[in-house]
Amino acid sequence: ADQRKISLAEAIFLTTLLAAGILIFIVRRLSDQRHDIALKVAAEMELRELTAMAMQDPLTGLLNRRALLAALEAATASPPTNGSKQALFMIDLDHFKSVNDVHGHAVGDQVLEVVADRFAAAARPSDIVARIGGDEFAALAYNVDLKTARKIGMRFLESLTRTIRAGGHVHKVSLS
């Protein structure tokens, strides 16, 4: 049979071409993997951000009604094993509508932000504080007895004893 022999230069050229092809394949494959990982990380970050947005009140940064309901559902799904209980505080600001009516919604929003900060400071780190809409807030306190629940409730009341300065005015806000 007619077999053509290749020269050493042709062999080196073909081997180099094959090696370059393999190298290009590997580099593209690694690049694709990095791209896939980057897309996955970006998607996970976006999902976390969207989840946070879905569970957070945009004005105050507190959790929202949806997050509170999820926490309540989880808290009531099974009874506590150590006999402890949870306390739910429903908090409504008294006469808040007049702040919006007299000074405008921008000032009312500032007041709500201060109230939210004070409620978050009054709660324990393990408690959940949420703005459930308008001037309504709620807090879920875990692992409490009646005495502890009362102390937490009093801290919420005391958090609004000081006036709030917003929009160049001093506002007195109370709660029910």
Side-chain angles (χ1 to χ4, degrees):
D2 284 332
Q3 276 192 328
R4 183 178 174 279
K5 291 189 177 185
I6 60 170
S7 68
L8 180 61
E10 290 174 322
I12 292 172
F13 174 75
L14 290 174
T15 303
T16 305
L17 189 61
L18 177 62
I22 291 171
L23 183 62
I24 290 171
F25 173 78
I26 291 170
V27 167
R28 288 185 78 183
R29 189 74 184 113
L30 290 174
S31 177
D32 288 349
Q33 285 178 339
R34 277 198 309 267
H35 182 70
D36 290 348
I37 290 169
L39 285 176
K40 183 178 179 184
V41 168
E44 287 172 0
M45 288 174 55
E46 187 173 350
L47 179 61
R48 267 187 257 132
E49 188 176 312
L50 289 171
T51 301
M53 286 172 52
M55 301 299 260
Q56 189 175 41
D57 176 59
L59 174 66
T60 63
L62 294 176
L63 295 176
N64 63 16
R65 176 190 308 261
R66 182 180 293 120
L68 177 69
L69 291 174
L72 280 169
E73 188 174 312
T76 58
S78 60
T81 56
N82 61 0
S84 66
K85 298 178 182 171
Q86 292 84 22
L88 176 64
F89 300 90
M90 301 299 294
I91 305 166
D92 185 53
L93 301 182
D94 295 332
H95 312 294
F96 178 75
K97 185 178 181 313
S98 66
V99 173
N100 280 336
D101 291 347
V102 173
H103 302 286
H105 289 279
V107 173
D109 287 351
Q110 291 173 13
V111 170
L112 288 173
E113 289 171 342
V114 172
V115 168
D117 290 343
R118 290 186 184 179
F119 286 168
R124 302 173 307 170
S126 61
D127 298 339
I128 291 177
V129 179
R131 178 172 175 227
I132 55 177
D135 64 348
E136 297 173 345
F137 294 82
L140 177 61
Y142 294 96
N143 301 320
V144 295
D145 56 17
L146 186 57
K147 182 179 175 184
T148 305
R150 283 189 176 142
K151 284 182 184 177
I152 295 168
M154 289 306 296
R155 287 201 305 262
F156 287 124
L157 286 168
E158 291 167 2
S159 72
L160 294 184
T161 57
R162 295 184 331 270
T163 57
I164 297 172
R165 181 168 290 284
H169 301 279
V170 175
H171 308 276
K172 177 69 178 145
V173 179
S174 60
L175 62 88
S176 299

